[in-house]
Amino acid sequence: MQESHHIFIQGKWRKGEGGIRKIMNPSSGEVLTEVKEATEEQVDEAVLAARRAFETTNWAENIELRVQMLRELSDKLEESAEEFALLETRNTGKPIRESRLDVSDSITCLRYYADLVANRICWEKEMYDGTISKVVEEPIGVCGLIVPWNFPLLLGIWKLAPALAAGNTVIFKPSEVTPLSFLKLTELIEKSEMPPGVFNLVLGEGRSVGHSLVAHPEVDKISFTGGSATGRRIYQECAKNLKRVSLELGGKSPLLVFDDVDLATAVDWAMFGSFFNQGQVCVASSRILVHQSLYDDFLTHLSARAAQIVIGDPVDETTEMGPLVSEAHRKKVEEYIQIGLTDGARLLSGGQRIPDRSGYYLSPAIFTDVKQDMRIVQEEIFGPVITVQPFKEEIEAIQLANDTPFGLAAGVLSRDLERAERVAGRLRAGTVWINGYHTPHVETPWGGFKQSGIGRELGPQGLAAFTEAKHINRNLQLQPIGWYSNKGVSS
Ligand code: TXE
């Protein structure tokens, strides 16, 4: 990549002709670098390049080439894993240990989809009328992939790997706040044998560059991860020409702590579920529901553990919590803390800036004495802010857990596995972890019930989201079947 060339179209780096954006280091508030973003005309060029590649290259037909490209990309990513992890940490502020996990999960995801398409079996069967039916999965076409800033590389790969594996061509738009890891990944793609135009990268804001991509008539599918308000807007725009759309949106996920757990272990899971990546995770366990017999002890232990959390420079190996991603986002989270206080909730601990740090730090905030209809219980805050509520009966826990507009994930902590399974079955959420939290498994679907989104990523469902099913039916006889047979035009 040449200096100041940050747009990748038709296999070539181009100078962005839009505005200049400063890319920040959230742990210091300093500028890391500047990028030149795309114009709407450049989005159009990128879409047309993807369309041309889809229609004029053998990408859509050549599974072997796609498998090879995905495997090569995963190998190259592995070779520079530490470099990617460091870049991700510098740009997002997430602790380096977490960035390493993101990189290794990205490698796994690329390999998973390479293997999945390499071993895909075509469904073929003789039907009741003697004809043969074949069902094939074809690529949708040109796909716009739009990702947020909390897991810039990993969430990008969750879309890119299945989209390419299925034979689509893509235009990728990272968050304007965190473009660095995908700029670097594009350098790896540039050096590969991928046909020009299959992968294109545009940088820029959502309302200009993002919107142009979503509204473009030559884009067949949008796969989006981000906030619910943006997701709704994108859904409406896609409806105009019935564009295919997948939305992975917000959450307000509950963690249910039953009375038979080991207290220290339960507190550890709550800490991990709530404060991993500073709580900027769509599935973060932002509502902890605790059986009343444990409630007071749980709160004492939780606030003590939260006070000990190691907040610091995310590059430091011992750091457990880094800064929030941006000053604007920290302000939004602080506004929610104020809303909680104004609505009458009790801030048990945290929610403070860190005096001797210049980055966008905020200590983990724990709210108690909340009511179910409070905004801090109902709305996604997307930061290190949680509510803790007591419950008496299992049914009450389930009702509280399900009582938000979201349904992305949930956790159940209990030694009684029969109960845990029963409760998991009644939770309206796309993922339920029993005696665990957070781990995504590449083979299993990821996505939400209710207003947490439409469709699923990962697993075979993640591949299906980038394909159209086609049924081809063969009549071996070449004869008309049914009541038209033998009634043809007389010779
Ligand atoms: O997200 P946006 P923001 C939630 C979280 C957060 C809130 C807002 O609650 O506080 O969303 O965050 C692009 N057309 N999540 O403003 O706007 C944008 O450029 C096309 C949950 O950062 O959703 C970026 O690339 N694209 C979430 C991406 O969408 C548009 C992760 C996400 O931005 C666009 C992040 C438009 N009109 C935030 N507007 C999760 N589910 O993990 C914006 N974009």
Side-chain angles (χ1 to χ4, degrees):
M1 179 176 59
Q2 290 174 40
E3 190 98 5
S4 85
H5 282 49
H6 302 115
I7 310 296
F8 190 73
I9 300 176
Q10 188 68 25
K12 292 208 163 44
W13 286 105
R14 299 269 304 277
K15 202 171 190 165
E17 285 157 17
I20 296 176
R21 183 176 299 273
K22 292 181 175 24
I23 304 301
M24 311 300 288
N25 177 345
S27 73
S28 63
E30 286 164 6
V31 177
L32 276 173
T33 185
E34 286 184 349
V35 294
K36 286 209 78 184
E37 298 185 333
T39 55
E40 291 174 25
E41 290 71 30
Q42 288 183 306
V43 174
D44 184 51
E45 279 182 55
V47 173
L48 296 183
R51 170 62 60 201
R52 232 179 356 259
F54 186 70
E55 283 172 6
T56 62
T57 71
N58 66 348
W59 181 250
E61 286 81 40
N62 193 339
I63 292 189
E64 290 76 25
L65 176 64
R66 302 198 311 257
V67 169
Q68 184 198 333
M69 290 297 103
L70 290 174
R71 289 198 177 130
E72 275 179 25
L73 189 58
S74 71
D75 291 345
K76 286 186 194 153
L77 184 55
E78 195 167 41
E79 282 161 23
S80 20
E82 190 57 20
E83 217 180 315
F84 271 90
L86 206 54
L87 194 60
E88 198 75 320
T89 282
R90 290 227 167 90
N91 197 177
T92 63
K94 64 172 69 193
I96 185 72
R97 299 188 265 198
E98 297 182 15
S99 291
R100 288 193 187 116
L101 275 180
D102 290 0
V103 177
S104 85
D105 285 352
S106 300
I107 296 164
T108 306
C109 183
L110 286 163
R111 291 182 180 155
Y112 169 75
Y113 281 110
D115 292 349
L116 195 66
V117 285
N119 299 314
R120 209 150 47 137
I121 297 162
C122 177
W123 187 95
E124 193 166 284
K125 200 174 164 199
E126 183 171 345
M127 309 307 283
Y128 75 94
D129 57 359
T131 62
I132 307 285
S133 271
K134 182 163 85 165
V135 178
V136 287
E137 312 253 291
E138 294 191 355
I140 295 175
V142 174
C143 300
L145 314 181
I146 302 177
V147 299
W149 42 259
N150 54 338
F151 294 84
L153 180 70
L154 183 62
L155 295 185
I157 295 286
W158 282 11
K159 297 186 190 305
L160 184 68
L164 294 184
N168 299 282
T169 59
V170 306
I171 304 96
F172 190 94
K173 194 200 91 60
S175 162
E176 53 273 41
V177 187
T178 55
L180 299 188
S181 51
F182 247 82
L183 274 170
K184 187 147 193 63
L185 192 87
T186 306
E187 289 179 13
L188 301 185
I189 293 175
E190 182 197 9
K191 290 180 197 130
S192 76
E193 301 293 309
M194 196 178 285
V198 166
F199 174 86
N200 305 275
L201 177 86
V202 290
L203 303 191
E205 267 189 11
R207 62 185 166 189
S208 52
V209 170
H211 174 77
S212 311
L213 189 54
V214 172
H216 202 293
E218 288 293 332
V219 173
D220 301 304
K221 153 123 197 177
I222 291 290
S223 178
F224 168 80
T225 300
S228 298
T230 308
R232 249 179 233 114
R233 227 170 285 138
I234 289 178
Y235 200 26
Q236 280 172 348
E237 191 61 46
C238 288
K240 288 183 185 164
N241 61 346
L242 294 181
K243 207 166 269 174
R244 306 294 181 262
V245 61
S246 299
L247 304 171
E248 206 270 79
L249 308 177
K252 196 72 189 174
S253 301
L255 176 66
L256 286 65
V257 183
F258 283 94
D259 52 0
D260 58 351
V261 294
D262 170 65
L263 189 64
T265 310
V267 168
D268 280 351
W269 277 120
M271 292 286 296
F272 181 59
S274 307
F275 302 132
F276 183 75
N277 199 21
Q278 294 74 250
Q280 302 166 133
V281 188
C282 52
V283 294
S285 60
S286 48
R287 295 184 297 134
I288 315 287
L289 306 174
V290 185
H291 190 268
Q292 66 170 9
S293 64
L294 288 181
Y295 186 68
D296 290 339
D297 284 349
F298 185 89
L299 281 179
T300 309
H301 277 72
L302 183 69
S303 55
R305 276 284 281 113
Q308 287 162 4
I309 204 163
V310 183
I311 301 178
D313 185 343
V315 174
D316 193 327
E317 299 287 337
T318 57
T319 292
E320 292 174 332
M321 194 181 233
L324 300 193
V325 75
S326 65
E327 181 58 31
H329 189 59
R330 177 167 68 171
K331 281 203 182 111
K332 183 189 157 186
V333 174
E334 286 176 326
E335 273 166 30
Y336 267 108
I337 293 174
Q338 198 47 54
I339 289 167
L341 291 170
T342 307
D343 286 351
R346 185 161 79 96
L347 183 59
L348 183 67
S349 58
Q352 310 295 323
R353 294 187 176 199
I354 312 295
D356 53 346
R357 294 215 158 260
S358 49
Y360 317 130
Y361 289 87
L362 197 66
S363 63
I366 302 169
F367 272 106
T368 62
D369 299 355
V370 296
K371 294 202 180 75
Q372 190 65 19
D373 61 358
M374 283 181 179
R375 287 184 63 191
I376 58 166
V377 176
Q378 292 292 323
E379 295 176 18
E380 182 174 57
I381 300 174
F382 219 63
V385 181
I386 59 168
T387 58
V388 190
Q389 292 169 268
F391 69 85
K392 288 196 193 89
E393 307 292 339
E394 181 179 307
I395 184 69
E396 185 193 359
I398 294 167
Q399 279 163 356
L400 289 171
N402 285 337
D403 185 15
T404 76
F406 299 106
L408 198 51
V412 182
L413 303 181
S414 175
R415 282 205 172 99
D416 178 351
L417 290 183
E418 209 174 296
R419 166 166 65 190
E421 289 279 353
R422 183 173 64 234
V423 171
R426 299 193 62 184
L427 293 172
R428 305 275 300 150
T431 300
V432 182
W433 287 282
I434 294 175
N435 296 329
Y437 211 85
H438 266 320
T439 318
H441 299 98
V442 73
E443 300 91 341
T444 59
W446 181 276
F449 283 34
K450 302 195 278 181
Q451 293 187 32
S452 285
I454 309 254
R456 294 291 183 272
E457 302 201 277
L458 298 183
Q461 291 87 351
L463 186 69
F466 285 103
T467 63
E468 293 279 13
K470 180 185 277 180
H471 172 206
I472 300 172
N473 181 256
R474 283 202 306 275
N475 178 11
L476 303 174
Q477 325 271 332
L478 251 175
Q479 294 292 327
I481 293 173
W483 52 90
Y484 285 106
S485 54
N486 302 322
K487 289 183 189 162
V489 184
S490 52
S491 48

